[in-house]
């Protein structure tokens, strides 16, 4: 029973850790199944329900995800499977299978949440579970304790690290390709802050947010979670590059073929990437973008940041008739209605700057309200005509829409705004909370220009840190219709602790796990003779590991001999050189007598050793 | 199918001429771990996730370590001797295996077994430990299933300690002659024949004889003394049971053998000398001693019709 | 080797030609206060051997010739009614001596045999309800014809176990046999023998025996012997008494050789004498076969 509870506990922890990565439906279903299994004891009913639930889960996964979301699909499936498997946990064999399934879940945790802390907790969790499995196997775990456990576990852990560090990577550097996929795929159906987009965070902006404009801190921009920099302006490129090292340009090594899937509703408002923003391309691993116009290049895996090389920046600044056409495209459905509502004067100024100013003015006049939980709108027109509550995405989309009506080429940009400065390691943590959407418009004289319609509605969003801003918008926790003021909780010290843990985490992740491939190769090369293939280092260390392990057991198992016994064995060994071996049923004296006949030259030695032997063992 | 393949390999390995070589193969659980390792490696490589790779390596090293440990747990163990139990059909007896070891750490969770048509090992899942703390013997409980005689040449010993990832096993060559005696069951449908005692006996059958010096005073017939004033000694004739020969035909049924067995035990406890004649093949002269009993029982066990 | 033991052995040599090993074994048996059984074909000097021992040890000596009609009373003694005095007098039998030679033990009836064997074990006898202590030290040397001989009652296993050793004299070698058959003075030399070991010396030797060390390693070796006989079905399992006897005899052997500790060699030498009559699972074997079996056992056991 206790192990069942432990299993349930582990599954619950997994749900909690994964809760941001998998849809609520999956965690809800998992939890439901887990609960159900405690109450249904009828076996046939169980089996029936289990089959039903399995099909249900498959259907859920089928409808919930698009086929390209391999990771989440697999993770959800493994999670659901673990809760289903929980129903039949009886024998130790079931528990062992459960262990294997949970290991897979653990592995998905590491993928979705690559931090050192999660890893440590995961390993401890699994070891603990394994310990209990051993216990129900009726193995007296005491037999393995102390020395024996040490001799088994310690070398294993040490050598797993050795193998890990000498393991030749077949991957292209340390890109977490999954991050890339996540970012690309996350623009799907969810209209919330987990929609990720291009990072748009200049150094100055960051400084401004924290009031550090004049400081010269050596900043590193640390993008938390699964963000990928999607550079869309010169400013942003310089921001991302500032203070970051750039590896010399060997971009041909890191070619990626990747797939851009754009949120259907927003397709026409997205930045136009050389005219094919809605390209649907490939699967992982990436190799090359179809038209070869740009590549994504990893600068460093250590601090999880990316930048773009190639002519991407130029392209973003490009403006040609094709782009113009796209940037002015509007769904004509209810355009007249909107014109009626939003255009007081049908005459528009010739100068586009004036037009923009007019649009801004009008936008402010409309008095939109900021809300993180707006009602659902079927389209942008719907929002413009019937709604007033919305958040950045709504404002950006509608602003772009209006701009196009005003005949200003415009596009929506998704990215990040703000972030949290972590004083423990001088980095900025950008969370999903900091996700933001804004608009870029093209002015003839000035090129692409950034406009943030959200600031027109709530200027605070730009000047405050994201968490602060949201707290000020919603100062209450709602719990069963009771509102609890957030002021009652002082998270400051707790927050500091979290920041500290974050910095620790990033340091450990950076130095121990996400170490540089080039550095690794350099170190390995410097430790081994010239031209020694890296693969062989792995093989050699594996062999050394095997050798050392067996030696360890050999010496561990040796019986401890007292000096007299040792001397006797030495004596026998020496006599063996003369061709005399003692047979098993022969006593020492008989053996020596026999030796005296064969090798009388050694008489003194033989007699001395015999006397010593008899003295020490029989006297 | 699978069973026959396993049996084939069992026989092949058991027939090996080497002196208790140690074999080690992964168990089903171990194979599952290997599979998991491969999956994790593929995931770790394709997602280039270092944590998954490290997790994979830790699992892998534990797996390898447990391989060494399992082997280590069996190495250095030598079978010194084995007792041959006297077992009747339908009875349970212990077989004791005596070991010697050159491993100071002891041996845990050993599971001995052997192939036999006549006896079945009870509680097969039970495991035994040998360490310097207890004596180096293992006692397995066997149950006699069928009467007969067979010789067991190999004793199988396996261990899964510590993680069940590997099965380490070895075969010890032994020379165990196993007799399963017939069931002890009462029945009287066999021939008993009395044979005259060949050994000289005191032929003195007088009930009362004259007193001789040295006779015990307890034996003096005091009544007679009073009547006749002469000394007489009561000479008791010792009831010396006649030897019995139990015999049966060439094709005796199992039941008959059972009842023969029952009678043999009866006579042994009552101290009656008995012999055994089974068909025309074997004859054991009458006697009465533990070894005679053993002889007769073995003869019964190896009787084949 | 102690001078007294040296003397004993050389004197015995004069009477029993060429049998120094057997003499030593016999002495060993006496020192460890066990009883000795000698088995051989008639005419090989069993009786002479026993008589020599008795003479040299300076103990009261009696010889009992076992026959079919020997009654227990002849052995133990009788209560005789003295009609004059009107009460019973005890006439002590031959057993009330310290050194008893039971000649041709297996010719006696089982009843008589068991009377002797009981006395050997208990070192006391019970006669009509009275318990009488036998004089100490008390030795019995029994001689026995091989089983195959006609008109013998062989001893049951349980009684054989009471003899500490069973030895075989064997035919003398060529030279000694020549001496025996030619030399008339052989018999005289037996009469010339003088007692060498008196009771106080014997007691000293007994107490000296107790101080002889037996190491753990040796005990392990003896234990291994016992366990091996119990786990192989070609042997009959040895009793703990046999184990005790092995240790005692080995100690005595060490004493004879002037050592104050026991070696496995000692055990190997005395082992055939001590266990060959207890080890055979079947009674119909000859003594030679038993000895061979003992050698098999020794070869089986690992020793350092």
């Amino acid at each position: 029973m206790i192990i069942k509870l432990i299993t349930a506990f582990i599954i619950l922890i997994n749900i909690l850790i994964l809760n941001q990565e998998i849809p609520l439906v999956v965690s809800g279903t998992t939890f439901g199944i887990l609960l159900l299994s405690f109450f249904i004891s009828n076996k046939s009913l169980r089996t029936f329900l289990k089959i039903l639930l399995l099909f249900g889960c498959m259907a859920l996964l089928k409808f919930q995800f698009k086929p390209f979301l391999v990771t989440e699909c697999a993770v959800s499936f493994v999670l659901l499977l673990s809760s289903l498997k929980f129903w039949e946990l009886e024998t130790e064999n079931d528990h062992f299978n459960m262990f294997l399934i949970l290991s897979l879940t653990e592995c998905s945790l590491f993928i979705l949440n690559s931090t050192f802390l999660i890893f440590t907790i995961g390993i401890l969790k699994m070891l603990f579970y394994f310990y209990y499995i051993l216990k129900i196997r009726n193995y007296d775990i005491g037999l393995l304790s102390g020395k024996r456990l040490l001799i088994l576990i310690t070398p294993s852990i040490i050598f797993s690290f050795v193998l890990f560090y000498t393991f030749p990577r077949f991957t292209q550097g340390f890109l977490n390709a999954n991050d890339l996929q996540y970012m690309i795929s996350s623009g799907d159906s969810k209209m919330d802050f987990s929609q990720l987009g291009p990072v748009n965070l200049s150094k100055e902006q960051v400084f401004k947010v924290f009031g550090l404009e004049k400081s010269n801190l050596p900043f590193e921009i640390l993008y938390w979670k699964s963000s990928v920099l999607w550079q869309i302006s010169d400013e942003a490129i310089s921001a991302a590059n500032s203070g970051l090292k750039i590896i010399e340009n060997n971009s041909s090594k890191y070619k990626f073929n990747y797939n851009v899937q754009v949120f259907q509703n927003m397709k026409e408002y997205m930045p136009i990437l050389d005219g094919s923003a809605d390209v649907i391309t490939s699967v992982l691993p990436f190799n090359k973008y179809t038209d070869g116009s740009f590549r994504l290049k990893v600068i460093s895996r250590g601090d999880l940041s990316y930048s773009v090389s190639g002519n991407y920046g130029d392209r973003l600044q490009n403006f040609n008739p094709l782009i113009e056409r796209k940037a002015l495209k509007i769904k004509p459905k209810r355009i007249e209605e909107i014109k009626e509502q939003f255009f007081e004067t049908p005459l528009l100024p010739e100068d586009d700057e004036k037009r923009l100013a007019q649009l801004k003015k009008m936008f402010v006049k409309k008095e939109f309200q900021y809300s993180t939980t707006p009602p659902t709108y079927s389209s942008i027109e719907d929002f413009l005509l019937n709604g007033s509550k919305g958040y950045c995405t709504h404002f950006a989309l509608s602003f772009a829409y209006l701009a196009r009506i005003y005949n200003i080429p415009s596009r929506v940009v998704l990215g990040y705004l703000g972030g949290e400065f972590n004083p423990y390691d001088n980095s900025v943590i950008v969370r999903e909370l900091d996700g933001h959407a804004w608009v870029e418009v093209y002015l003839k004289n000035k090129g692409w220009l950034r406009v943030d319609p959200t600031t027109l509605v709530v200027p605070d969003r730009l000047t405050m840190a994201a968490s602060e801003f949201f707290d000020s918008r919603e100062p209450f926790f709602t719990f069963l219709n009771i509102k609890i003021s957030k002021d009652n909780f002082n998270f400051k010290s707790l927050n500091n602790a979290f920041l500290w843990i974050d910095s620790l985490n990033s340091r450990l992740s950076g130095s121990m796990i996400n170490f540089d491939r080039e550095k690794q190769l350099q170190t390995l090369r410097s430790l081994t003779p010239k031209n020694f293939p890296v693969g062989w280092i792995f093989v050699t260390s594996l062999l050394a590991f095997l050798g050392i392990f067996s030696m360890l057991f050999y010496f561990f198992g040796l019986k401890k001999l007292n000096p007299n016994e040792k001397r006797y064995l030495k004596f026998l060994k020496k006599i063996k050189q003369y061709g005399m071996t003692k047979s098993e049923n022969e006593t020492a004296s008989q053996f020596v007598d026999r030796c005296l006949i064969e090798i009388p030259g050694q008489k003194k030695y033989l007699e001395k050793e015999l006397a010593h032997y008899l003295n020490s063992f029989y006297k | 199918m699978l069973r026959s393949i396993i049996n084939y390999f069992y026989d092949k390995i058991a027939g090996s001429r080497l002196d208790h070589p140690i074999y080690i193969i992964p168990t089903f659980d171990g194979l599952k771990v290997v599979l998991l390792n491969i999956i994790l490696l593929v995931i770790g490589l394709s997602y280039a996730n270092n944590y998954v790779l490290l997790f994979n390596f830790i699992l892998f090293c534990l797996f390898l370590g447990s391989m060494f440990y399992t082997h280590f747990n069996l190495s250095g163990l030598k079978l010194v001797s084995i007792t041959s139990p006297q077992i009747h059909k339908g009875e349970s007896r212990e077989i004791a295996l005596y070991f010697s070891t050159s491993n100071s750490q002891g041996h845990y969770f050993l599971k001995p077994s052997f192939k036999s048509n006549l006896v079945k090992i009870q509680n097969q899942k039970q495991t035994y430990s040998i360490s310097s703390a207890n004596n180096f013997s293992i006692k397995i409980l066997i149950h006699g299933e069928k009467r007969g005689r067979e010789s067991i040449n190999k004793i199988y010993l396996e261990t899964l300690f510590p993680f069940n990832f590997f099965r380490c096993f070895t075969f010890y060559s032994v020379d165990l002659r196993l007799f399963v005696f017939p069931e002890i069951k009462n029945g009287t449908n066999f021939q008993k024949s009395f044979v005259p005692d060949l050994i000289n006996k005191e032929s003195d059958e007088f009930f009362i004889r004259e007193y001789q010096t040295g006779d015990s005073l307890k034996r003096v017939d005091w009544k007679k003394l009073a009547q006749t004033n002469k000394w007489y000694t009561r000479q008791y004739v010792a009831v010396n049971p006649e030897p019995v020969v139990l015999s049966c035909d060439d094709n005796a049924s199992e039941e008959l053998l059972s009842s023969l067995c029952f009678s043999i035990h009866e006579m042994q406890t009552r101290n009656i000398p008995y012999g055994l004649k089974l068909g025309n093949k074997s004859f054991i002269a009458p006697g009465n001693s533990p070894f005679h009993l053993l002889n007769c029982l073995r003869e019964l066990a190896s009787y084949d019709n | 080797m102690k001078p007294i033991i040296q003397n004993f052995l050389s004197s015995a040599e004069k009477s029993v030609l060429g049998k120094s090993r057997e003499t030593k074994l016999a002495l060993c048996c006496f020192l460890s206060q066990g009883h000795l059984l000698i088995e051989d074909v008639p005419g090989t000097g069993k009786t002479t051997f026993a008589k020599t021992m008795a003479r040299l040890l300076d103990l009261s000596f009696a010889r009992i010739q076992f026959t079919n009609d020997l009654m227990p009373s002849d052995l133990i003694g009788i209560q005789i009614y003295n009609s004059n005095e009107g009460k019973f007098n005890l006439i002590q039998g031959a057993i009330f001596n310290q050194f008893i030679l039971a000649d041709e033990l297996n010719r006696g009836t089982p009843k008589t045999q068991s009377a002797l064997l009981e006395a050997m074990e208990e070192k006391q006898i019970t006669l009509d309800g009275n318990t009488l202590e036998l004089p100490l030290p008390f030795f019995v040397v029994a001689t026995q014809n091989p089983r195959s001989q006609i008109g013998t009652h062989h001893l049951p296993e349980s009684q054989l176990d009471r003899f500490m050793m069973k030895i075989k004299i064997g035919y003398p070698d060529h030279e000694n046999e020549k001496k025996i058959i030619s030399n008339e003075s052989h018999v005289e030399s037996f009469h010339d023998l003088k007692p060498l070991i008196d009771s106080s010396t014997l007691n000293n030797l007994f107490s000296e025996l107790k101080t002889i060390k037996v190491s753990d390693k040796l005990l392990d070796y003896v234990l291994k012997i016992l366990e091996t006989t119990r786990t192989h079905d070609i042997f009959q399992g040895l009793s703990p008494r046999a184990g005790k006897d092995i240790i005692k005899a080995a100690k005595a052997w060490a004493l004879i050789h002037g050592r104050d500790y026991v070696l496995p060699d000692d055990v190997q030498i005395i082992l055939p004498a001590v266990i060959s009559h207890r080890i055979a699972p079947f009674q119909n074997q000859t003594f030679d076969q038993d000895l061979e079996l003992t050698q098999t056992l020794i070869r089986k056991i690992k020793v350092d």
Side-chain angles (χ1 to χ4, degrees), chain C:
Chain C
M1 208 180 282
K2 280 174 165 279
I4 177 106
I5 289 167
Q6 188 79 54
N7 262 341
F8 180 92
L9 292 175
S10 57
S11 309
E13 179 73 4
K14 278 180 207 152
S15 162
V16 191
L17 289 172
K19 295 289 170 203
S20 62
R21 186 187 142 87
E22 283 72 17
T23 322
K24 269 190 202 169
L25 279 174
L27 179 61
C28 186
C29 186
F30 301 140
L31 288 179
S32 43
Q33 308 198 50
H35 307 291
L36 181 68
L37 181 64
I38 304 172
E39 176 175 308
D40 219 326
V41 289
T44 44
K46 300 189 289 281
T47 315
T48 317
F49 181 78
K51 275 157 89 177
T52 311
M53 294 294 130
R55 173 64 65 101
L56 289 172
L57 282 172
D58 188 24
L59 297 171
S60 65
F61 174 77
R63 176 185 163 164
I64 308 165
Q65 180 72 41
F66 274 62
T67 53
N68 259 342
D69 53 358
L70 184 78
M71 300 298 289
S73 52
D74 299 335
L75 205 68
I76 294 164
I78 43 169
Q79 306 254 37
I80 287 182
Y81 182 70
N82 190 332
S83 42
N84 297 339
E85 294 175 23
K87 65 177 185 185
F88 290 94
N89 290 344
L90 176 72
I91 308 288
Q92 289 188 340
I95 208 158
F96 289 89
N97 282 300
Q98 285 174 305
F99 195 107
I100 290 162
L101 170 61
D103 231 351
E104 300 189 310
L105 179 67
N106 55 350
R107 283 198 185 284
T109 57
K111 210 194 237 171
T112 326
Q113 284 175 357
S114 60
L116 174 69
L117 292 160
E118 267 170 52
M120 278 161 55
E121 179 66 15
E122 310 290 332
K123 307 225 162 139
Q124 64 182 30
I125 52 163
T126 312
L127 191 63
D128 290 332
N130 303 321
T131 305
L132 299 168
E133 295 285 332
L134 294 174
L136 288 176
F138 177 72
F139 296 125
V140 174
V141 175
T143 69
Q144 181 180 321
N145 294 328
R147 275 176 203 139
S148 51
Q149 302 251 323
I150 298 166
T152 54
H153 299 262
H154 58 241
L155 296 171
E157 301 124 28
S158 55
Q159 302 199 336
L160 274 176
D161 200 27
R162 293 189 185 159
F163 284 101
M164 183 172 180
M165 284 188 187
K166 177 176 177 181
I167 58 172
K168 171 180 172 167
I169 301 291
Y171 298 114
D173 56 21
H174 182 78
E175 291 214 345
N176 286 317
E177 188 154 17
K178 199 173 179 184
K179 271 188 205 163
I180 293 167
I181 54 177
S182 67
N183 196 355
E184 287 288 315
S185 65
H186 171 61
V187 183
E188 288 165 9
S189 66
F190 168 71
H191 291 293
D192 292 342
L193 288 176
K194 297 242 164 57
L196 279 174
I197 302 178
D198 54 15
S199 59
S200 68
T201 325
L202 203 57
N203 279 331
N204 281 345
L205 285 174
F206 286 159
S207 54
E208 213 169 303
L209 195 71
K210 280 179 193 157
T211 63
I212 286 178
K213 273 181 226 123
V214 181
S215 66
D216 256 10
K217 213 169 168 141
L218 192 101
L219 286 177
D220 284 344
Y221 178 54
V222 172
L223 268 178
K224 229 186 275 173
I225 292 173
L226 298 182
E227 275 164 10
T228 310
T229 62
R230 287 168 202 164
T231 52
H232 284 71
D233 66 346
I234 54 166
F235 306 118
Q236 189 188 343
L238 288 179
S239 60
R241 169 158 53 191
K244 251 164 109 179
D245 283 355
I246 292 171
I247 297 286
K248 272 196 225 159
K251 272 175 159 182
W253 190 265
L255 179 72
I256 290 172
H257 287 82
R259 259 185 282 113
D260 62 347
Y261 54 91
V262 184
L263 288 180
D265 304 74
D266 303 335
V267 176
Q268 287 194 354
I269 289 169
I270 53 93
L271 207 60
V274 178
I275 65 166
S276 59
H277 58 293
R278 321 185 203 218
I279 200 175
F282 304 109
Q283 287 240 333
N284 44 17
Q285 291 200 43
T286 64
F287 189 43
D288 284 330
Q289 281 170 328
D290 293 347
L291 288 173
E292 190 49 48
L293 200 59
T294 314
Q295 290 305 331
T296 317
L297 175 67
I298 292 174
R299 276 196 295 274
K300 258 187 193 295
I301 295 163
K302 196 186 160 202
V303 63
D304 268 328

Side-chain angles (χ1 to χ4, degrees), chain A residues 271-484:
Chain A
I272 300 151
L273 300 174
D274 53 272
S276 51
D278 50 348
V279 198
I280 294 163
T281 17
S282 69
V283 207
L284 292 169
F286 302 96
N287 214 343
K288 210 174 111 192
Y289 188 47
T290 38
D291 70 346
S293 61
F294 73 91
R295 301 178 185 96
L296 282 179
K297 190 198 157 202
V298 180
I299 290 179
S300 161
R301 183 74 179 80
D303 42 19
L304 285 161
S305 61
Y306 303 86
S307 88
V308 180
S309 72
N311 54 2
Y312 183 49
D314 298 338
R315 291 247 169 185
L316 289 173
Q317 284 303 307
N318 276 358
F319 191 75
N320 56 38
L322 182 69
I323 293 173
E324 185 179 8
R325 214 177 65 223
K326 288 210 169 195
L328 286 170
K329 200 174 152 196
I330 311 177
K331 273 184 191 167
K333 241 190 206 165
R334 297 168 74 184
I335 200 160
E336 292 309 318
E337 265 181 81
I338 291 167
K339 272 185 178 171
E340 226 171 79
Q341 274 212 14
F342 285 81
F343 294 78
E344 287 151 356
T345 49
L347 256 176
L348 294 172
E350 270 302 299
D351 186 20
D352 48 8
E353 278 185 52
K354 278 179 187 163
R355 263 184 304 186
L356 183 62
Q358 199 180 342
L359 178 60
K360 276 183 180 173
K361 224 170 161 184
M362 193 266 298
F363 199 80
V364 176
K365 219 167 131 189
K366 260 314 206 184
E367 290 188 333
F368 289 109
Q369 280 167 12
Y370 192 94
S371 165
T372 46
T373 51
T376 321
Y377 304 104
S378 58
S379 64
I380 297 168
E381 290 98 332
D382 188 26
F383 171 71
L384 284 173
L385 293 172
N386 307 325
S388 63
K389 285 183 176 176
Y391 50 81
C392 55
T393 319
H394 298 92
F395 302 140
L397 285 168
S398 50
F399 191 85
Y401 186 91
L402 291 171
R404 287 179 188 191
I405 294 179
Y406 268 71
N407 206 19
I408 306 169
S410 62
R411 59 192 187 191
V412 175
V413 181
L414 297 180
Y416 291 94
L417 175 64
E420 193 172 359
F421 178 67
N422 188 346
Y424 292 98
D425 58 353
N426 286 340
S427 64
V428 175
I429 299 168
V430 182
R431 297 194 173 85
E432 280 182 13
L433 196 67
D434 303 315
H436 191 50
W438 61 96
V439 176
E440 281 181 342
V441 293
Y442 186 80
L443 300 181
K444 267 172 200 153
N445 299 330
K446 294 188 174 173
W448 286 103
L449 201 76
R450 184 160 58 219
V451 180
D452 191 344
T454 314
T455 50
L456 300 176
V457 182
V458 271
D460 290 353
R461 178 69 182 93
L462 196 66
T463 51
M464 281 181 178
S467 54
E468 204 184 329
F469 172 72
F470 289 118
D471 281 352
S472 70
R473 301 297 304 179
E474 267 176 36
F476 302 107
F477 291 116
T478 321
F479 180 71
L480 300 172
N481 283 341
I482 304 161
K483 283 187 174 175
I484 304 162

Side-chain angles (χ1 to χ4, degrees), chain A residues 41 142 543:
Chain A
S41 51
L543 289 179

